[in-house]
Amino acid sequence: MPGYATRLLTLRFGGQDYRIRALSDLQQFADPKGRAERAGISSAMWSLFGQVWPAGRVLAHAMSRFDVAGKRVLELGCGLGLASLVLQRRKADITASDHHPLAEEFLAYNAELNGLPPLTFLDLAWHLPQPKLGEFDLVIASDVLYERGHAEQLAVLLAAHMRPAAEVLITDPGRGNSGAFTTALMKQGYAVTEVRSAFNDDDVAPFRGRLLSYRR
């Protein structure tokens, strides 16, 4: 691809192999038309969407067995779309979303690479009103509480787009911003369950990584 290098990875979730095109490393950057800059994505953050992160793998594994029957599902910050691809293979009603200008292209390529039909994708900026988004039964995300302000942005977004009986599932590597998010969702009527787990093979207890489940 012009401007950046990619690699192909094979990952296994739920007994199925997935071939994933990812950026070769964190040094890749190409924004010749300034799309990322206009979206507020700095050169230092540009390559993050195109990596396979531990929290993304944990979420994809969870979605390989999670009960999604009859649920409208939204993935926030999908990046390469691992969890969304797993759900697409399970024939779930999944909408993938991200704000990186290349996320849709990579997601479409990876779906085709795995023999899956195209996914519904939305360019979703968390801080902007989304009048046409609708409501969801389940929202999933991995490592989205990256900065302190993200907890408030996501809480506001969820308040506007979750059905009365709803679930939110987030895999978080322990960046320290989950407490504010949990407090905000408890005010919206959610009960929280936190399961600490290893995100890498060399993680040792007590684990920083956690699977955060919110239900109301």
Side-chain angles (χ1 to χ4, degrees):
M1 297 295 293
Y4 53 86
T6 64
R7 56 179 173 158
L8 286 179
L9 306 173
T10 299
L11 306 170
R12 192 167 182 83
F13 306 115
Q16 299 279 344
D17 285 337
Y18 292 82
R19 297 184 70 205
I20 301 296
R21 182 181 72 165
L23 292 177
S24 293
D25 53 53
L26 288 171
Q27 305 308 312
Q28 303 304 315
F29 174 74
D31 189 28
K33 297 181 180 180
R35 296 167 61 198
E37 184 179 5
R38 288 193 297 274
I41 300 169
S42 68
S43 59
M45 303 287 286
W46 187 93
S47 66
L48 298 184
F49 90 97
Q51 310 298 323
V52 174
W53 298 103
R57 293 198 303 267
V58 172
L59 182 63
H61 278 297
M63 289 302 104
S64 70
R65 57 184 183 272
F66 201 85
D67 180 14
V68 293
K71 297 175 182 176
R72 187 177 185 225
V73 187
L74 173 68
E75 181 177 9
L76 297 171
C78 69
L80 296 174
L82 303 185
S84 288
L85 292 169
V86 169
L87 291 176
Q88 182 78 330
R89 178 163 279 173
R90 295 184 61 199
K91 303 185 185 306
D93 181 3
I94 173 65
T95 297
S97 70
D98 205 294
H99 195 43
H100 195 287
L102 287 182
E104 183 176 14
E105 176 186 325
F106 271 71
L107 181 66
Y109 187 96
N110 286 330
E112 184 175 358
L113 196 59
N114 289 280
L116 297 172
L119 284 83
T120 300
F121 176 85
L122 292 175
D123 180 349
L124 186 60
W126 303 338
H127 64 289
L128 298 177
Q130 303 292 333
K132 298 181 179 180
L133 183 59
E135 294 183 333
F136 293 85
D137 304 287
L138 172 65
V139 166
I140 62 173
S142 62
D143 200 3
V144 291
L145 302 172
Y146 198 81
E147 297 178 359
R148 184 173 298 179
H150 290 163
E152 181 180 356
Q153 289 178 1
L154 290 175
V156 171
L157 180 70
L158 294 174
H161 298 288
M162 300 301 290
R163 289 174 176 162
E167 300 171 85
V168 179
L169 190 72
I170 292 180
T171 54
D172 181 72
R175 298 190 186 278
N177 298 317
S178 63
F181 183 72
T182 294
T183 298
L185 261 64
M186 290 178 67
K187 291 179 180 178
Q188 295 180 25
Y190 290 88
V192 59
T193 301
E194 178 181 306
V195 178
R196 290 181 177 263
S197 61
F199 277 29
N200 292 294
D201 292 339
D202 57 355
D203 285 352
V204 295
F207 304 118
R208 291 188 63 195
R210 64 199 73 190
L211 185 66
L212 300 167
S213 176
Y214 306 87
R215 294 189 180 189
R216 69 178 181 190

